[in-house]
Amino acid sequence: MPSHVALLYSIVISPTRRVVMSELKAMAEAEGFGAVATLVATGNLVFEAGGRTVPQIETSLEAAFARTYGKSVDIIVREADAWHALVAGNPFPAESEADGSRVVVRVMRKSVEAGTEARLQGILSEGERVAVIGGDIWAAFPARPSASRLLSALSSKKLGIGTARNWNTVRRLGEMLGPTIG
C-alpha cells in the first residue's frame, strides 16, 4: 500500500509543454519508488518510499525532475499518516461537502509563521474563510477560487515553499493511500 504523497508545485515546463503523468510516474519509478500512481493531471503522486525520509524523498524527486525536464520545481512530500491527519483536519467540512473545488489547502513544506492566519484574515473578501491547521493554510471560497485576491496572497514568495490542492484532490489522495493505521 502506498506510504507517501508527493505534490508538484507546477507541471508547466514551458508555454507549450506540460508534464505528462505517465512520464512523472516513470520518473518516480526510475528513482526506485514503488507502487507509483498518479491522480489527475496536476502533479500528484502516491508511492512506496522504501524507508527513505521525507527530506530524502523531496531531494530525490526534485533532482530527478530537474534532470528529466531541465527545470527545477518544488515537490512537497507527506507520509500517509500526515496526509490522513491533513484530511481529518479540514476546518470547512460543510463547504467541502457543498463544492469541494471551492475549498483549497496550501500544503507547506514548513509550517507557516505565527500570525499568518491573522494577516490573511485582513484581506478576505465577503464570504471567504481561512484557517491555519497543522502549519498548512486552508481557504473556503463562496465562488471560484481563481476569482479571489486571497489566492495570490498564498504564493511561495509570500509564505514559503508549498502548493495548493482543492478538497476533491486532497480527499481522493487520502483514499488512494488507504485506511489510516492505528
Side-chain angles (χ1 to χ4, degrees):
M1 179 155 304
S3 61
H4 288 77
V5 170
L7 309 171
L8 277 70
Y9 174 71
S10 174
I11 60 165
V12 178
I13 299 170
S14 73
T16 59
R17 173 103 159 87
R18 295 170 59 95
V19 174
V20 176
M21 293 304 100
S22 59
E23 294 171 356
L24 183 63
K25 179 180 184 221
M27 181 198 81
E29 290 170 339
E31 285 297 296
F33 298 108
V36 180
T38 63
L39 175 66
V40 300
T42 56
N44 306 294
L45 293 168
V46 295
F47 54 93
E48 284 292 333
R52 291 184 245 186
T53 67
V54 167
Q56 289 170 332
I57 297 166
E58 289 172 340
T59 299
S60 175
L61 288 174
E62 287 174 353
F65 191 92
R67 282 191 312 273
T68 303
Y69 297 102
K71 178 181 177 181
S72 295
V73 67
D74 293 322
I75 300 176
I76 311 305
V77 174
R78 292 282 170 92
E79 294 177 337
D81 287 347
W83 192 263
H84 287 302
L86 176 84
V87 171
N90 178 351
F92 307 119
E95 293 89 337
S96 297
E97 182 69 27
D99 186 347
S101 70
R102 293 185 180 174
V103 173
V104 173
V105 60
R106 181 162 176 81
V107 182
M108 304 299 296
R109 179 166 288 166
K110 296 180 182 174
S111 295
V112 294
E113 295 176 2
T116 297
E117 184 174 343
R119 284 193 305 277
L120 293 173
Q121 294 284 352
I123 64 166
L124 297 179
S125 297
E126 186 174 338
E128 294 178 342
R129 298 173 63 199
V130 68
V132 173
I133 307 291
D136 299 312
I137 304 165
W138 289 83
F141 300 90
R144 290 179 301 113
S146 60
S148 171
R149 64 188 184 130
L150 175 60
L151 217 50
S152 67
L154 300 179
S155 72
S156 290
K157 281 186 176 183
K158 295 178 181 176
L159 298 170
I161 297 171
T163 188
R165 295 297 187 272
N166 73 33
W167 173 248
N168 296 328
T169 300
V170 170
R171 179 186 48 78
R172 288 178 59 203
L173 286 166
E175 291 168 356
M176 290 174 72
L177 289 168
T180 58
I181 300 172

